[in-house]
Amino acid sequence: MNGNSWYKEMAVYHIWCRSFCDGNGDGIGDLWGVLSKLDYIRSLNVNAIWFSPIYPSPNADFGYDISDYRNIHPDYGNLDVFKEVLDGAHQRGMRVFMDLVVNHTSDEHPWFRESRKSADNPYHDYYIWRKGILKGSRILPPNNWMSIFEGEAWEYDEHLGEFYLHLFARKQPDLNMANPAVREEVKNIMRFWLDMGVDGFREDVITFIGKTPGLPNSYPKLPVANGMKHFSNRPEALEYLREFKNDVLDRYDCFVVGESPLTSADTALKYLSDGPDRVLDEMIAFNHMEADCFMTDMLRRPFNLKKMKRAFSEWQQKLYGRAWNALYIENHDHARIISRYGSEDYPVESGKMLAAMYMLQRGTPFIYQGQEIGMLNIEMPDLESYADVQTINNAKVAMRFLPKKKVMKMVNESSRDNARTPVQWNSGRNAGFSESEPWFPVNPNYREINVAAQNDDPDSLLNFYRRLVRFKLEEPVAIYGDYRELCPDSDKIYAYLREYEGKTLLVVCSFTSETVRFEAPEELRLDRAEPVFTNYEYNYIVANGFTMRPYEVRVYLFE
Ligand code: GLC
Ligand code: CA
């Protein structure tokens, strides 16, 4: 923070360690595996890595329920091997960011264990405990908020006779950030990792850390995430973030990206605008990930290109000149993008198109493990085969209202487990992920889709990503250019221009398996431009346009 700007010339590789690479042969990805793949990661031309949580955790939410903020989960290694990874990354010119999950801890964190012992325990006020409301012989929760993962946001503790708040799973009690002692703990955790040499943080659901004082009921009552307006983007959250920035982050040469569900570009600017009030460098937005769903990934609707374009353009335009975007289309929380916005019938074509589509916008691109080889969704036989708490709990709720078959279709299409299958390294046993049975099934398509098969093939998606990342980081127009959308009314083509210091980049993407004609603006003569990225052979220009083949992408540079 503190006015640095190196993150503008950065591309980040995102690792969800458990499924990345198993180094010690127990079927679980780990830091020894990461160590063995540092050269591979660097070969993508990225210059940073973000680790989803690798701290000790009972894994109710696979690491997003932390029981020790200053250590490494024994499944993944220990602090020594982490330091080797950190050094190895730094030697290769890659920065390292940790996930910082401080909206909640695990219920197995020593703070929470203390906190539930008695109401006068010094840790009691580290969490949000309240008495219930007596109604006849029943005790009702203190308010009507709903959790995002499992039913009511309150869990009753018999021993204490109080409820604790959990906006996510029961095993993820919310920290009471209003308590200054909790904020001191957070700052000390930040210092611990920054002093070790870590370069910054991805801050988990950071827009949820402030709650309306008094925790009032919320109306009208929504079936999911009820209470949102009392825990999302509250002014208190901004205050806490300002404190973290002033007391810690501004004293280090670090980068901070906040995850911000339910946040519009206008609201984002409160956190991101250049100047003394800026509390985050970037935000992980959600709007563009909702073009085939409603509010949450599980509520499916057909993919709507215009919706996606509107979301991207809104963030591009509103942040222009004021703040910096984080660009992503995959992470550990969403199904695979080719299976969603692209086409499994045209996996390589649509994979390349989607890559250029988001990465050439203005902002810092993030690439999620396996995205670079076009990993696809996995089909699981039944709900019992899933591992993700959100998938399982939401499916159970949905089954109360909908036929099982319909729910299973929603689950198959949207489960976060789609993105959590082991990375497919080669066509050998267990896709080269592990010598033993992996903790979660490998996608059966690994024989065709894997790193080894693509590594030396110049036309592979993997090598497209490598070239694209290099171009993005070496070509100033791809970094600093402005953004202007073309043909916003088209429901088949997404096209935009970037301009910077006399150079223009034109990005044209087809989102259909039909053929569709694209007409370039008159002032841009296609025959005078250099085609820098294409995903088909023979790229004819007819008049000042071309007919696009299924999921075609063309990127032209005008000098
Ligand atoms: C964020 C994480 C997600 C986690 C949730 C609760 O959305 O990305 O994986 O389940 O927060 O911590
Ligand atoms: Ca292992």
Side-chain angles (χ1 to χ4, degrees), residues 115-217:
S115 132
R116 71 194 313 175
K117 280 187 183 160
S118 70
D120 53 14
N121 187 288
Y123 287 95
H124 190 65
D125 206 25
Y126 268 42
Y127 295 86
I128 302 174
W129 289 100
R130 290 290 183 281
K131 294 251 181 268
I133 298 165
L134 259 179
K135 200 168 183 190
S137 59
R138 287 174 52 219
I139 309 180
L140 304 179
N143 70 22
N144 66 6
W145 299 1
M146 298 289 284
S147 90
I148 290 154
F149 285 177
E150 60 184 338
E152 280 162 352
W154 295 94
E155 182 72 6
Y156 189 61
D157 185 284
E158 294 282 346
H159 164 73
L160 265 179
E162 292 182 8
F163 289 82
Y164 67 84
L165 178 75
H166 62 90
L167 294 182
F168 291 88
R170 263 179 223 131
K171 284 184 69 61
Q172 295 171 294
D174 279 52
L175 279 165
N176 177 18
M177 206 59 80
N179 178 352
V182 171
R183 301 202 296 278
E184 283 314 310
E185 297 278 8
V186 172
K187 289 185 264 181
N188 284 331
I189 294 164
M190 289 174 160
R191 292 185 187 108
F192 175 85
W193 292 102
L194 292 168
D195 287 339
M196 193 185 296
V198 161
D199 302 284
F201 303 102
R202 176 268 190 192
E203 298 184 344
D204 190 60
V205 290
I206 204 66
T207 45
F208 287 7
I209 61 173
K211 278 92 180 168
T212 306
L215 314 178
N217 276 326

Side-chain angles (χ1 to χ4, degrees), residues 22-30 75:
D22 176 18
N24 67 353
D26 64 356
I28 298 175
D30 52 45
D75 281 353

Side-chain angles (χ1 to χ4, degrees), residues 10 67 106 201 256 264 306 316 327 387 416 485 510 524:
M10 180 166 81
S67 54
S106 163
F201 303 102
V256 185
S264 66
K306 283 207 219 171
Q316 288 289 305
L327 305 171
R416 308 195 292 182
E485 191 186 339
S510 163
L524 293 173

Side-chain angles (χ1 to χ4, degrees), residues 371-382:
Q371 178 188 332
E372 75 277 21
I373 55 167
M375 283 178 63
L376 303 175
N377 282 357
I378 188 170
E379 185 112 355
M380 303 287 272
D382 45 39

Side-chain angles (χ1 to χ4, degrees), residues 493-508:
I493 293 176
Y494 178 27
Y496 60 86
L497 293 173
R498 307 281 315 277
E499 271 179 43
Y500 187 69
E501 293 188 339
K503 283 192 183 180
T504 302
L505 196 64
L506 168 67
V507 182
V508 190

